[in-house]
């Protein structure tokens, strides 16, 4: 969201980021330094309301985890069906079809098949059933758990290698989410060693 940012290498393991005209340096450091571990999970069931659990993940059996969703509802999730490495890119855009800011996600490698399989299973559940939802988990936090659209057929899923995340995002939220999803495609720990204005 800044004009003419620059990024350059400084030695073998460092890089310099310059962000002219930045209004919130703390937010930039937070975003640059965040290591995004991204995964997509089937929702197995709702296990409680907003007060039924904390924000810390609870391990379940066989790779299952229990996390609160974006509204505070506590969900039991199956093991990750699609990992961050299967994400080819993500972008924020205003969709006239949805009338809101959305995030489009493109998959690569085995991602399109994994995404189609995950959504084809979810689409077999009745509308409103928790198992029709897919949880998008970023750094052990559910950032979105949308229901698969009723137009998607059971056993078919969302094909084509891309999907759209809706959630009533502001422009800034959509852009941040797209950046973090992209970072989740290749998570590398980043440490800020010097910062100046």
């Amino acid at each position: 969201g800044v004009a003419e940012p620059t990024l350059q290498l400084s030695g073998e393991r460092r890089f310099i980021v310059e962000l002219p005209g930045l209004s919130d340096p703390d937010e930039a450091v937070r975003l640059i330094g965040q290591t995004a571990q991204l995964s997509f999970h089937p929702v197995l069931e709702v296990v409680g309301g907003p007060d039924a659990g904390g924000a810390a993940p609870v391990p379940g059996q066989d790779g299952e985890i229990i996390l609160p969703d974006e509204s505070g509802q506590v969900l039991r999730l199956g093991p990750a069906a699609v990992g961050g490495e299967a994400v080819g890119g993500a972008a924020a855009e205003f969709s006239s079809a949805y009338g809101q800011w959305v995030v489009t996600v493109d998959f690569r490698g085995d991602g399109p098949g994994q995404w189609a399989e995950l959504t084809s299973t979810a689409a077999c559940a009745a509308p409103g059933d928790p198992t029709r939802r897919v949880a998008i988990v970023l750094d052990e936090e559910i950032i979105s758990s949308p229901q698969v659209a009723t137009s998607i057929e059971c056993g078919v899923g969302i094909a084509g290698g891309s999907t759209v995340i809706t959630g009533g995002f502001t422009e800034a939220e959509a852009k941040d989410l797209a950046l973090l999803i992209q970072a989740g495609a290749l998570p590398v720990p980043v440490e800020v060693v010097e910062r100046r204005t």
Side-chain angles (χ1 to χ4, degrees):
V2 296
E4 301 178 20
T6 60
L7 179 67
Q8 66 186 57
L9 284 172
S10 174
E12 291 187 9
R13 298 183 52 187
R14 291 186 181 181
F15 58 92
I16 299 169
V17 180
E18 294 179 339
L19 303 168
L22 187 69
S23 59
D24 188 353
D26 290 333
E27 178 68 6
V29 169
R30 187 187 68 76
L31 281 174
I32 291 169
Q34 187 165 350
T35 302
Q37 300 286 345
L38 181 73
S39 53
F40 299 79
H41 299 252
V43 175
L44 303 179
E45 65 176 333
V46 175
V47 295
D51 301 322
V58 178
Q61 298 177 351
D62 301 321
E64 295 176 1
I65 54 174
I66 296 172
L67 290 173
D69 69 9
E70 62 276 24
S71 68
Q73 202 172 44
V74 182
L75 306 178
R76 183 169 65 92
L77 309 179
V82 184
E85 73 283 350
V87 174
E93 59 187 47
F94 187 83
S95 167
S96 55
Y98 293 99
Q100 60 179 301
W101 280 89
V102 301
V103 176
T104 59
V105 180
D106 297 315
F107 297 100
R108 64 182 174 196
D110 295 333
Q114 293 170 343
W115 180 249
E117 184 178 344
L118 173 61
T119 54
S120 71
T121 302
C124 293
D129 187 310
T131 60
R132 195 175 178 96
R133 296 163 67 185
V134 172
I136 304 168
V137 178
L138 184 70
D139 289 338
E140 300 185 334
E141 177 183 341
I142 296 176
I143 54 172
S144 185
S145 56
Q147 177 174 272
V148 173
T150 54
S151 59
I152 305 302
E153 294 182 40
C154 172
V156 177
I158 301 173
S162 65
T163 194
V164 176
I165 304 171
T166 61
F169 305 120
T170 65
E171 179 179 359
E173 288 168 343
K175 288 180 176 179
D176 282 354
L177 177 56
L179 282 171
L180 290 172
I181 288 174
Q182 287 186 91
L186 184 62
V188 177
V190 176
E191 177 188 355
V192 176
V193 293
E194 183 186 4
R195 171 182 159 183
R196 63 183 174 212
T197 302

